[in-house]
Amino acid sequence: MQVLGRGASCKLGQSASLRAMPIAHLALPSPLRHGFDYRLPAGVHELPPGVRVRAPFGRREVIGWLLHEAAESDVPAAKMRAVLEIIDSEPALNAELWQLALWAARYYQHPIGDALTQMVPALIRQGEPLRATLESCWRLTARGLALSEDGLSRAPKQLAALQLLSAHPQGLSETTCRALQIAREALKALSEKGLAECFQPEHAAKAPTPAWPALGLAQAELRLNAEQAVAFDALRKAEDGFRVWLLQGVTGSGKTEVYLQHIAQVLRSGRQVLVLVPEIGLTPQTVARFQARFRCPVLALHSGLSDRERMQVWRQAREGLAGIVIGTRSAVFTPLARPGLIVIDEEHDLSFKQQEGFRYHGRDVAIRRAQLENIPIVLGSATPSLETLANVHAGRYQRLELKLRAGGAKAPLVRCVDLRGQILTDGLCTAAREAMTETLARGEQVLVFLNRRGFAPVMLCHACGWQAGCDRCDAKPTLHRAPMRLQCHHCGSERPPPMHCPDCGSSDLRPAGVGTERLADALSQHFANTPVYRVDRDSTRRKGSFDVLMNAIAKPEAAVLVGTQMLAKGHHFPNVTLVVIPNCDGGLFSADFRGPERLAQQLVQVSGRAGRAEKPGRVLIQTHQPDHPLLQQLFSQGYDACAQTLLNERQLMGLPPAASMALLRAEAPQDSAPQELLSDVAHWLREDEPLVQAWGPMPAPMARKAGMHRWHLLLKTTERKPLHLALSRVVAWLEASPEARRVRWSIDIDPQELS
Ligand code: ADP
Ligand code: ZN
Ligand code: ZN
């Protein structure tokens, strides 16, 4: 193997002769789904797949990845360009992650170069070294090692630092010290007392790695209740190796405590843990809960990190310096030197699916990764997806259940309120208002869940019925009050609301319908002495504002919380004893076949926010369909029964998870081109691929968005394989076809939203 000194990458390509030259098959950041052949200089051979290279591409220079070396190529030798530089002496991704990348690109029909590019931090794809340069380290001196703990009993921070360092006689790097939250002043103070010293390791192999087993826990574990103990024992006693667990437990049943105790086991064996949470779940509170328990570095990959910080977390994980990595969807690709466990919290959450570009599902990629790394993976949820439940029924995943709330809290009481014939004020009926008044009078909190931000979803003319529309979408812009504007939530365009109706000239323009802004305004007037907190994307846009709201809500005082799904996930609000859902009917009649599943999940998740041990919660759901079978079954028999009914329906209709599905989308500024393109594909499939059912082409549910005309072709098979074979041919045809160039097309495997 060609070995290059670390950091000492070499410039190549000028002196090489053309003959007997090895060929490199490269993945380059390009929308094309094939590799590219380049010359390697003579003498360079047996490079490991996955090293980064710099190569000319068109008129640019790009960084790509070596897929493999090749003996020959279709590209004539005279036309073949040369690799400019081999950046790495080792692959950026280990063998398992490399396999994962190849698998994901194939499975999701995505260009491998682009998939790889999205798997690594921005600075790594721009060519920064894989490893950090050597840093200074800290260790105890002989005096420090000999000191008894009483010697520092009045300086707790120094004592904590001393304890951590004494568990690591070879020392800890500065980055690891920071990740372990060892105060810099404490290290300085120890060094002034001659108890610790800073030193420079001679080379990378001598750099110390922390050993988790020696560190112990920073916080005592809770005593598990009977159900938790059964789940924990099952995880603990399982044989090593790949296995998928579903930890199904209602909100507040203590799933996180089970993860934490199982994670402690894995860390004790010296291995690392990857925790994936939904976008809304990755809050400082979540990270703090993990950091409080463990003494190993717990690193979070959140959106507030700079590119450099992101790369540092990636490097630390890759070198085995991070004990736990917590992140959202894309963290699934974080390399781990010694992987031991993957945990996915709220596995049913839609944010695990990337909805554009590389449309992977973080949960499904994580399961494939666990299989390749041969480690267990735990999926946690109160409302598992139908896909996961089908795998449990098929015996592929093993289910562990927590049916009771930890600490003795009771399940909330749910009541549907029949809206038919009722008078509504700002979307709330009298019964809901009365229940709110009672709850607030007791000094407790009310959560009103309304998944529609802004002031009002429509602005209309009271004289002639005109409604404001978006110029670029088949959608109505939402009226926002602060600041006053009409904003389209689909294309983002904004404009001031008109003063007069463009059709009849009347100035009687009115907001219609209720959004969170309007509801929060109305409730602050109605409950004048009670704070009303609005939690949605608009009210939490400023950095840190979400935490400010959460702290205010944590006070045990009467308050009203008005919020979108941001309030429905991740957080438990112990002071909320009443949840009001003003309208759930949209989900009952959704055009998307997943609509009822999502509604059931959402209702259970929101309901789970209410109540605690001494104060049971209540949930009021306003609906015009109180007799709807879904609502009836959900509240009389629970989520599992409801999920089973939905699974049976999917089976009958031949829909996922009882079938495999892919969605081919096409859009263009002119209406005819996408439709014609998809018609050609559909026609060809019907002739040549009898196992594939093609539905469409049909206009997308929003047929025009951001000025583009959008069409769908839905593909379905009973077995997965024929679908993938057919899609490979469709893609090859689309890439070669001149008609396809006039259209923006994309393929979505296992689509989660048919929008
Ligand atoms: P989940 O992740 O299922 O929503 P958590 O693990 O967050 O549940 O637990 C909910 C609450 O119950 C937390 O406040 C937690 O501290 C508490 N809790 C969890 N397990 C126990 C236990 N065994 N004994 C007492 N309290 C517990
Ligand atoms: Zn008008
Ligand atoms: Zn728009």
Side-chain angles (χ1 to χ4, degrees):
M1 181 163 94
Q2 170 84 5
V3 180
L4 304 172
R6 224 192 77 206
S9 55
C10 56
K11 297 271 173 199
L12 303 165
Q14 294 94 346
S15 61
S17 86
L18 273 175
R19 204 170 310 214
M21 213 168 293
I23 296 165
H25 197 57
L26 302 182
L28 297 178
S30 139
L32 297 175
R33 280 167 178 75
H34 57 74
F36 299 86
D37 289 343
Y38 281 75
R39 279 188 280 123
L40 279 171
V44 176
H45 57 85
E46 288 181 38
L47 284 173
V51 297
R52 291 172 301 164
V53 301
R54 196 183 300 278
F57 189 54
R59 260 174 278 166
R60 293 178 302 147
E61 256 182 34
V62 296
I63 291 181
W65 308 73
L66 176 74
L67 289 169
H68 53 79
E69 288 179 32
E72 45 198 61
S73 168
D74 296 339
V75 183
K79 282 204 168 162
M80 199 182 291
R81 302 174 82 179
V83 163
L84 300 172
E85 182 191 4
I86 294 167
I87 297 172
D88 303 315
S89 59
E90 59 178 336
L93 307 173
N94 66 11
E96 289 79 16
L97 269 190
W98 184 249
Q99 287 308 314
L100 186 71
L102 299 181
W103 171 82
R106 240 186 356 256
Y107 184 86
Y108 291 105
Q109 301 280 347
H110 195 73
I112 177 70
D114 192 61
L116 281 163
T117 298
Q118 292 199 38
M119 280 175 64
V120 296
L123 291 178
I124 292 296
R125 75 179 84 113
Q126 287 160 25
E128 289 272 333
L130 299 175
R131 290 171 187 269
T133 46
L134 274 185
E135 353 167 55
S136 319
C137 297
W138 286 87
R139 70 183 160 209
L140 294 184
T141 59
R143 266 184 62 205
L145 285 165
L147 189 78
S148 81
E149 299 200 346
D150 313 342
L152 284 173
S153 56
R154 291 202 292 147
K157 284 194 174 160
Q158 290 174 41
L159 179 60
L162 184 95
Q163 284 169 337
L164 288 171
L165 288 175
S166 75
H168 293 94
Q170 312 78 28
L172 290 171
S173 75
E174 296 220 300
T175 307
T176 308
C177 286
R178 262 200 309 282
L180 287 171
Q181 297 168 325
I182 302 180
R184 197 149 175 92
E185 306 79 64
L187 289 171
K188 277 216 183 106
L190 287 177
S191 121
E192 276 158 21
K193 291 178 185 163
L195 300 173
E197 62 187 1
C198 187
F199 70 102
Q200 197 67 39
E202 293 146 50
H203 51 81
K206 286 253 171 95
T209 45
W212 324 134
L215 294 175
L217 293 177
Q219 178 193 55
E221 297 182 326
L222 294 176
R223 229 186 105 136
L224 297 180
N225 64 29
E227 282 184 333
Q228 286 174 314
V230 170
F232 174 67
D233 272 351
L235 293 171
R236 184 168 57 94
K237 292 189 181 140
E239 279 169 38
D240 272 356
F242 171 63
R243 167 105 63 121
V244 187
W245 300 92
L246 167 63
L247 181 58
Q248 183 173 353
V250 297
T251 313
S253 60
K255 293 184 294 296
T256 310
E257 186 60 33
V258 174
Y259 305 147
L260 289 171
Q261 298 201 13
H262 186 50
I263 287 172
Q265 297 275 327
V266 177
L267 293 171
R268 244 170 254 146
S269 72
R271 288 181 294 168
Q272 299 169 279
V273 178
L274 179 64
V275 180
L276 300 184
V277 296
E279 264 153 28
I280 290 167
L282 188 63
T283 60
Q285 288 93 325
T286 310
V287 180
R289 194 162 169 198
F290 283 80
Q291 280 171 342
R293 178 65 59 91
F294 302 107
R295 285 224 170 87
C296 69
V298 176
L299 303 181
L301 281 167
H302 54 82
S303 58
L305 296 183
S306 68
D307 281 351
R308 193 145 295 273
E309 290 166 326
R310 198 163 276 278
M311 176 169 70
Q312 274 157 0
V313 172
W314 187 86
R315 284 172 171 169
Q316 281 175 272
R318 183 174 177 274
E319 286 170 44
L321 298 176
I324 300 175
V325 176
I326 306 182
T328 49
R329 178 178 67 230
S330 63
V332 69
F333 296 118
T334 311
L336 298 173
R338 300 182 307 280
L341 172 71
I342 303 177
V343 174
I344 304 195
D345 196 25
E346 310 288 0
E347 65 88 29
H348 64 279
D349 195 89
L350 195 55
S351 73
F352 286 119
K353 177 79 159 69
Q354 180 143 303
Q355 305 281 20
E356 66 210 349
F358 182 18
R359 294 168 193 262
Y360 64 95
H361 198 302
R363 175 198 60 216
D364 298 344
V365 172
I367 292 170
R368 179 72 186 152
R369 175 168 182 184
Q371 190 180 31
L372 288 165
E373 309 250 30
N374 198 25
I375 57 172
I377 176 167
V378 180
L379 315 179
S381 177
T383 52
S385 63
L386 298 189
E387 276 74 8
T388 294
L389 288 174
N391 279 312
V392 169
H393 297 328
R396 284 188 286 269
Y397 300 175
Q398 191 162 338
R399 170 153 59 177
L400 306 166
E401 280 185 277
L402 306 179
K403 295 199 161 142
L404 303 173
R405 288 188 171 183
K410 291 195 192 60
L413 260 164
V414 182
R415 188 159 76 90
C416 284
V417 185
D418 188 351
L419 279 186
R420 288 171 296 188
Q422 296 247 19
I423 294 168
L424 298 184
T425 320
D426 297 306
L428 294 172
C429 67
T430 318
R433 280 173 184 262
E434 283 171 3
M436 290 176 76
T437 309
E438 280 165 29
T439 307
L440 296 171
R442 283 198 301 269
E444 297 165 8
Q445 298 180 345
V446 181
L447 188 162
V448 187
F449 174 77
L450 183 63
N451 217 359
R452 189 183 267 167
R453 64 194 173 89
F455 189 80
V458 178
M459 185 185 197
L460 55 73
C461 169
H462 194 57
C464 77
W466 169 86
Q467 299 188 352
C470 176
D471 295 340
R472 310 174 65 218
C473 305
D474 290 341
K476 303 208 172 9
T478 301
L479 182 67
H480 287 255
R481 273 283 172 89
M484 181 74 88
R485 65 195 189 276
L486 280 170
Q487 186 196 50
C488 175
H489 289 182
H490 302 283
C491 70
S493 67
E494 281 188 12
R495 63 176 200 263
M499 303 301 284
H500 300 279
C501 171
D503 280 5
C504 75
S506 158
S507 60
D508 191 1
L509 296 175
R510 299 184 181 186
V514 181
T516 48
E517 253 184 76
R518 187 175 197 176
L519 186 58
D521 278 7
L523 291 174
S524 344
Q525 279 170 23
H526 191 80
F527 301 107
N529 300 317
T530 309
V532 175
Y533 302 110
R534 176 163 65 90
V535 185
D536 57 25
R537 249 200 296 146
D538 301 309
S539 72
T540 56
R541 190 147 295 167
R542 249 180 315 121
K543 209 177 162 189
S545 49
F546 186 73
D547 295 327
V548 171
L549 274 168
M550 288 299 134
N551 289 336
I553 292 167
K555 289 196 207 117
E557 296 170 352
V560 180
L561 286 47
V562 176
T564 56
Q565 55 178 343
M566 270 191 136
L567 273 183
K569 288 183 204 165
H571 287 276
H572 190 67
F573 302 105
N575 307 315
V576 169
T577 55
L578 173 67
V579 171
V580 178
I581 303 176
N583 184 357
C584 76
D585 294 354
L588 292 173
F589 306 107
S590 157
D592 194 322
F593 72 89
R594 291 184 207 271
E597 176 188 358
R598 300 239 183 272
L599 177 67
Q601 289 167 343
Q602 204 166 56
L603 291 177
V604 173
Q605 295 282 343
V606 180
S607 307
R609 304 300 117 189
R612 58 176 166 168
E614 64 280 23
K615 294 179 190 161
R618 274 195 299 163
V619 181
L620 284 188
I621 299 173
Q622 300 191 148
T623 173
H624 282 99
Q625 316 290 329
D627 304 322
H628 195 286
L630 180 95
L631 296 179
Q632 289 283 337
Q633 191 179 28
L634 186 61
F635 295 119
S636 61
Q637 298 168 36
Y639 179 78
D640 270 342
C642 189
Q644 189 55 54
T645 304
L646 294 175
L647 269 174
N648 295 344
E649 283 173 19
R650 301 262 187 100
Q651 183 82 45
L652 275 174
M653 294 189 287
L655 289 168
S660 293
M661 192 176 263
L663 178 60
L664 190 55
R665 292 184 175 88
E667 58 178 40
Q670 322 78 28
D671 193 22
S672 55
Q675 184 190 6
E676 282 161 16
L677 183 74
L678 294 186
S679 291
D680 286 350
V681 174
H683 184 74
W684 175 79
L685 284 169
R686 283 176 192 129
E687 302 252 295
D688 278 27
E689 299 281 349
L691 293 177
V692 178
Q693 281 186 47
W695 294 349
M698 53 206 158
M702 185 174 298
R704 200 170 58 99
K705 183 171 161 182
M708 299 290 248
H709 292 271
R710 310 158 77 225
W711 286 78
H712 284 178
L713 181 65
L714 199 57
L715 309 179
K716 203 181 67 117
T717 54
T718 21
E719 303 293 326
R720 179 165 292 286
K721 210 159 180 191
L723 180 64
H724 280 256
L725 289 174
L727 279 173
S728 309
R729 290 190 207 119
V730 169
V731 168
W733 180 80
L734 284 169
E735 285 196 327
S737 133
E739 296 97 81
R741 286 204 196 110
R742 296 185 294 137
V743 172
R744 199 149 79 193
W745 57 270
S746 67
I747 285 183
D748 191 350
I749 308 289
D750 307 330
Q752 294 296 307
E753 283 185 308
L754 304 182
S755 58

